[in-house]
Amino acid sequence: MPESRYSGSCHCGAVRYEVDIDLAGAIECNCSLCSKRGFIWSFTPADKFTLTDGAQATRTYKFNKHVIDHRFCETCGVEAYALGSMPDGSRVAAINVRCLDGVDLTQLQPRKVDGASL
Ligand SMILES: [Zn+2]
């Protein structure tokens, strides 16, 4: 699956973004947060992610090693994206694929990641 441009948003629409991303790398993780929130994630370099609305509308949640900024909308509570760093220090955007417009989730087969063991 090639990289494509998508738009995404939280539920209420306060937080909106554009992103270039390849959804072939989508994952589902079983860590304590992902299992409760039901995320499907896909990742892309942070410079391919543009927050177009809602910079002041998000709050940040961190847990475990505090290396990922989980950004959720303070109005509707939906976490449409997160930001973090790869082991080499490069910035990465984690995109909640469920928040992207026009994605047929039945066509995705997210790889299972055992985040609970990390
Ligand atoms: Zn919202």
Side-chain angles (χ1 to χ4, degrees):
M1 206 181 293
E3 186 176 283
S4 297
R5 169 147 288 222
Y6 296 94
S7 55
S9 64
C10 67
H11 186 260
C12 74
V15 177
R16 296 179 187 277
Y17 57 76
E18 303 277 327
V19 65
D20 293 310
I21 195 164
D22 179 355
L23 298 182
I27 65 155
E28 276 184 301
C29 170
N30 64 354
C31 84
S32 58
L33 184 64
C34 291
S35 61
K36 284 185 185 270
R37 303 204 86 173
F39 291 119
I40 299 173
W41 292 117
S42 199
F43 302 91
T44 199
D47 61 4
K48 297 189 175 199
F49 170 84
T50 304
L51 188 67
T52 55
D53 228 338
Q56 308 303 319
T58 57
R59 295 184 63 186
T60 298
Y61 178 66
K62 297 187 184 201
F63 74 112
N64 195 16
K65 295 172 185 167
H66 286 229
V67 294
I68 302 171
D69 289 353
H70 292 277
R71 299 282 178 86
F72 64 95
C73 172
E74 63 183 6
T75 300
C76 68
V78 168
E79 180 179 336
Y81 71 101
L83 296 171
S85 296
M86 301 298 283
D88 67 3
S90 60
R91 296 291 288 167
V92 63
I95 300 302
N96 182 352
V97 178
R98 294 184 182 277
C99 291
L100 296 178
D101 299 327
V103 174
D104 182 356
L105 293 173
T106 66
Q107 298 302 308
L108 280 184
Q109 294 181 319
R111 186 168 53 88
K112 306 289 187 198
V113 170
D114 185 15
S117 298
L118 297 178

